[in-house]
């Protein structure tokens, strides 16, 4: 992972050639705070990264601070042999030393524009380096909690910048020989590491620095996103409730409709009587099976059976009903008992006697008198 750290520039020395040289503390052990976005973790606002002494003071890390190109601001890419002439304005020396918790290197600015920027107030340094982030949390020996550990630190370049991460703790010249004159052309202005910004928070004006403004902006966006998500969830919930209410209302309407279709005992008896009368009339008009037919279908079937299909073709139901009533009035009503028994009872016509019964009676009388004699 490629990272950038900042340290301030102060009290350089000018050489006879016009170069600007100094010693600067450019790295330290301990905890530094990064934005989560810098470490590929936009879900985190800030990350406390611990630099153990064994990582900062390892031979490979210390060697990576020697003979590094210096740049005026950070270039858009890491510096290498192919682009060195394009970005380099100076370099670091090879006398890299460290004390209890800091690393010091000599450096030289050789480009006149970069020196002029320094003289105009550009005072701090920023490391451009790569490292591995071990997402292991814990507590330092000094009792400070951290979220991750920085390992395999390798410096790529050292940039002159307006503002640095480390503020005024590290400054070029901290390790210079006591009493050495400051040969810079202009006195140093007062350090101004962070500019004030006014942020509107819930209708209130809050004065903070760049980092605070960025943190507040991120929190405000997270709050807005949460409110949007909550609004969407509430709308979905209301839609589900409305759908269930509509379903319940539909079921209630169906139940009320079914209740209205239930017949009382008296109404049922009346309906049975009316149905029986209709079937009786229909069979008087035309004797056939009317099982399973509605009242209208019974009337139509009776008329068709009596007069044929042409009699009802294209006619409305009211016409068919009137035609049925006329036919039923002119038909001889049938015995309801016969209708109930399905016409299984047949009537036998009386046979004329023609004296046969009297002859049989006389014969029976003579036979009886002979037996008595």
């Amino acid at each position: 992972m490629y990272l950038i750290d900042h340290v301030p520039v102060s009290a350089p020395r000018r050489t006879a050639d016009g170069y600007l040289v100094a010693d600067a503390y450019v790295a330290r052990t301990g905890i530094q705070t990064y934005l989560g976005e810098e470490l590929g973790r936009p879900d985190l606002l800030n990350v406390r990264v611990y630099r153990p002494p064994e990582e900062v003071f390892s031979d490979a890390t210390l060697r990576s601070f020697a003979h590094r190109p210096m740049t005026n601001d950070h270039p858009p890419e890491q510096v290498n042999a192919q682009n060195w002439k394009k970005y380099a304005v100076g370099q670091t020396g090879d006398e890299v030393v460290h004390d209890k918790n800091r690393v010091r290197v000599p450096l030289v600015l050789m480009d006149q524009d970069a020196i002029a920027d320094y003289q105009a107030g550009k005072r701090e340094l920023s490391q451009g380096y790569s490292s591995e982030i071990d997402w292991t949390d814990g507590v330092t020996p000094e009792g400070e909690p951290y979220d991750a550990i920085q390992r395999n630190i390798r410096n790529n370049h050292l940039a002159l910048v307006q503002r640095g991460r480390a503020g005024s703790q590290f400054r070029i010249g901290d390790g210079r020989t006591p009493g050495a004159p400051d040969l810079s052309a202009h006195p140093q202005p007062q350090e101004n590491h962070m500019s004030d910004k006014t942020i509107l928070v819930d209708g209130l004006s809050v004065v903070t620095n760049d980092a605070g403004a960025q943190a507040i902006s991120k929190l405000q966006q997270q709050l807005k996103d949460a409110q949007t998500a909550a609004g969407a969830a509430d709308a979905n919930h209301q839609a589900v409730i409305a759908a269930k209410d509509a379903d319940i209302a539909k079921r209630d309407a169906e139940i009320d409709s079914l209740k209205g279709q239930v017949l009382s005992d008296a109404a049922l008896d009346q309906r049975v009587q009316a149905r029986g009368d209709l079937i009786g009339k229909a069979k008087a008009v035309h004797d056939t099976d009317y099982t399973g037919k509605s009242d209208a279908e019974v009337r139509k079937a009776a008329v068709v059976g009596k007069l044929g299909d042409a009699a009802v073709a294209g006619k409305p139901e009211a016409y068919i009903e009137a035609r049925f009533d006329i036919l039923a009035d002119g038909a001889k009503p049938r015995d309801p008992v016969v209708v109930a028994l399905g016409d299984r009872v047949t009537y036998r016509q009386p046979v004329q006697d023609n004296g046969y019964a009297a002859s049989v009676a006389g014969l029976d009388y003579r036979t009886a008198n002979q037996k008595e004699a």
Side-chain angles (χ1 to χ4, degrees):
M1 179 172 290
Y2 180 66
L3 299 171
I4 293 171
D5 277 352
H6 302 126
V7 291
V9 180
S10 63
R13 302 182 302 277
R14 297 291 294 273
T15 69
D17 299 325
Y19 301 147
L20 190 148
V21 298
D23 291 327
Y25 286 102
V26 295
R28 66 176 175 83
T29 63
I31 292 177
Q32 291 203 35
T33 301
Y34 295 79
L35 292 175
E37 296 175 350
E38 293 181 276
L39 303 180
R41 291 289 303 272
D43 55 308
L44 301 176
L45 178 59
N46 292 311
V47 179
R48 296 164 297 185
V49 179
Y50 177 46
R51 290 177 168 180
E54 61 270 21
E55 294 292 338
V56 176
F57 301 146
S58 71
D59 289 341
T61 298
L62 292 177
R63 284 197 302 270
S64 74
F65 286 105
H67 302 297
R68 295 293 93 189
M70 289 198 64
T71 63
N72 196 359
D73 290 321
H74 286 285
E77 56 188 332
Q78 294 199 56
V79 182
N80 53 44
Q82 294 178 341
N83 58 28
W84 180 86
K85 289 183 179 180
K86 179 178 179 181
Y87 298 123
V89 296
Q91 67 178 14
T92 63
D94 58 3
E95 296 179 2
V96 180
V97 296
H98 70 86
D99 55 19
K100 183 177 180 181
N101 64 345
R102 296 182 300 179
V103 176
R104 189 185 68 195
V105 298
L107 57 87
V108 55
L109 280 177
M110 306 176 73
D111 178 76
Q112 181 56 47
D113 290 339
I115 295 172
D117 286 343
Y118 169 80
Q119 292 173 340
K122 203 171 187 178
R123 286 292 187 266
E124 299 180 6
L125 295 174
S126 175
Q127 291 185 76
Y129 65 99
S130 63
S131 73
E132 296 177 7
I133 301 298
D134 179 2
W135 292 97
T136 302
D137 57 5
V139 179
T140 69
E142 293 75 25
E144 295 181 272
Y146 57 83
D147 306 304
I149 301 174
Q150 202 168 58
R151 302 188 187 280
N152 297 324
I153 303 167
R154 301 294 183 267
N155 193 48
N156 175 261
H157 64 272
L158 195 61
L160 182 69
V161 296
Q162 289 287 355
R163 270 199 312 273
R165 186 187 305 275
S168 59
Q169 180 179 0
F170 297 150
R171 183 182 299 273
I172 287 180
D174 283 351
R176 64 186 171 88
T177 303
D182 182 2
L183 302 178
S184 59
H186 302 283
Q188 297 181 32
Q190 183 178 358
E191 300 288 345
N192 181 21
H193 300 292
M194 303 295 284
S195 60
D196 289 340
K197 288 189 176 182
T198 301
I199 304 296
L200 193 65
V201 180
D202 196 20
L204 300 176
S205 296
V206 177
V207 179
T208 182
N209 55 28
D210 290 339
Q214 188 174 6
I216 292 173
S217 177
K218 183 173 183 178
L219 291 174
Q220 287 176 325
Q221 184 61 47
Q222 289 176 341
L223 177 60
K224 182 179 179 181
D225 293 342
Q227 290 173 339
T228 300
D234 183 65
N236 292 336
H237 181 64
Q238 294 300 326
V240 171
I241 292 177
K244 289 187 177 294
D245 288 344
D247 186 57
I248 292 173
K250 181 180 178 181
R251 292 180 181 273
D252 289 343
E254 292 174 350
I255 292 172
D256 291 341
S257 177
L258 292 174
K259 286 181 179 179
Q261 297 175 13
V262 176
L263 299 175
S264 64
D265 292 343
L268 183 61
D269 290 342
Q270 184 178 4
R271 174 63 180 153
V272 171
Q273 181 64 43
R275 179 69 176 181
D277 292 344
L278 177 63
I279 297 299
K281 290 180 180 181
K283 284 186 174 289
V285 174
H286 177 67
D287 190 8
T288 188
D289 183 12
Y290 296 101
T291 303
K293 290 181 171 57
S294 67
D295 290 356
E297 291 172 340
V298 168
R299 296 186 188 96
K300 183 176 181 180
V303 174
V304 170
K306 183 68 175 178
L307 303 177
D309 290 330
V312 298
K315 302 298 183 182
E317 185 176 336
Y319 172 87
I320 297 172
E321 183 176 355
R323 197 69 184 271
F324 172 81
D325 290 340
I326 294 172
L327 292 174
D329 290 343
K332 182 180 179 180
R334 300 185 62 190
D335 188 338
V337 176
V338 175
V339 175
L341 295 177
D343 291 343
R344 288 178 299 205
V345 177
T346 58
Y347 288 95
R348 296 179 181 176
Q349 298 294 330
V351 181
Q352 293 183 356
D353 189 82
N354 295 328
Y356 176 76
S359 176
V360 173
L363 180 59
D364 291 341
Y365 175 76
R366 287 195 298 271
T367 301
N369 288 335
Q370 290 176 358
K371 287 182 178 180
E372 289 177 357

